[in-house]
Amino acid sequence: MITSISGLRNAPMNIAEQYVANPYFKSDEANYKWIVTPSEDVNQRPQEQANFITFKKPGTYTITCIAESKNCLAQTTPPPHYIVVSVGGYYSVSSKLGYVTIAKSNLERSLPNDMVDNSSMEYEVYNQGTGALSHKGTAGRSGGTLDFSNLRKGFYILNLQISKDINETHKFVIK
């Protein structure tokens, strides 16, 4: 019976994180069955009691592990053990009175090296209703406040170009 799963509870996107089920069972004693829900946009590389999981979208995920006994005498499968993982981006965004504040997320892991070589990142702002590009520019990697008070009231999408291969999308409102 699995008694615990160790690993990050607040995980970054697009980086493989290791989750380990305890206790360890020898391969002739049990098979580990790993389940991540929702399973869309998730890559898994299970290796017995460990599973390397990459989350491709933010959200809340449940990681479950079941140790299925190979012993013929075991008539029932013990209940699974699970943990809940919150996956966020590298940045959080908040808006107030036409200003948007970008802050680094409070993750247990720092940004990958290829993301911190450059002191700024490009961004684009789209009007959610029309899809039109409303603004583009650069912001500091450490975060900061952007002035969008000239934009019309409405819902907007902020696309941050984190690195060559990683974009992050956030919604905000101009009231």
Side-chain angles (χ1 to χ4, degrees), residues 117-175:
D117 289 342
N118 190 351
S119 62
S120 64
M121 60 185 158
E122 294 181 6
Y123 69 84
E124 296 176 333
V125 175
Y126 295 90
N127 181 302
Q128 185 176 353
T130 66
L133 177 65
S134 300
H135 196 286
K136 63 193 263 186
T138 59
R141 290 219 181 269
S142 59
T145 301
L146 304 173
D147 181 357
F148 295 132
S149 59
N150 62 331
L151 296 178
R152 299 173 91 183
K153 293 180 182 181
F155 295 91
Y156 290 87
I157 306 293
L158 174 65
N159 182 33
L160 300 173
Q161 181 72 41
I162 306 298
S163 73
K164 180 181 173 187
D165 298 321
I166 301 174
N167 284 358
E168 225 177 78
T169 303
H170 299 270
K171 293 181 182 182
F172 68 94
V173 178
I174 300 290
K175 295 181 181 181

Side-chain angles (χ1 to χ4, degrees), residues 4-65:
S4 69
I5 298 173
S6 60
L8 291 179
R9 303 302 169 114
N10 292 305
M13 292 186 306
N14 299 311
I15 297 174
E17 293 295 341
Q18 181 180 18
Y19 293 87
V20 178
N22 292 298
Y24 173 74
F25 296 102
K26 294 179 183 175
S27 59
D28 63 341
E29 296 175 329
N31 288 325
Y32 292 90
K33 181 178 179 183
W34 289 92
I35 303 164
V36 179
T37 53
S39 60
E40 299 82 29
D41 299 307
V42 173
N43 289 341
Q44 296 186 66
R45 288 187 339 232
Q47 299 172 355
E48 293 188 352
Q49 87 176 110
N51 193 358
F52 295 87
I53 304 172
T54 304
F55 303 97
K56 300 214 173 194
K57 286 193 175 176
T60 302
Y61 296 83
T62 302
I63 301 173
T64 305
C65 188

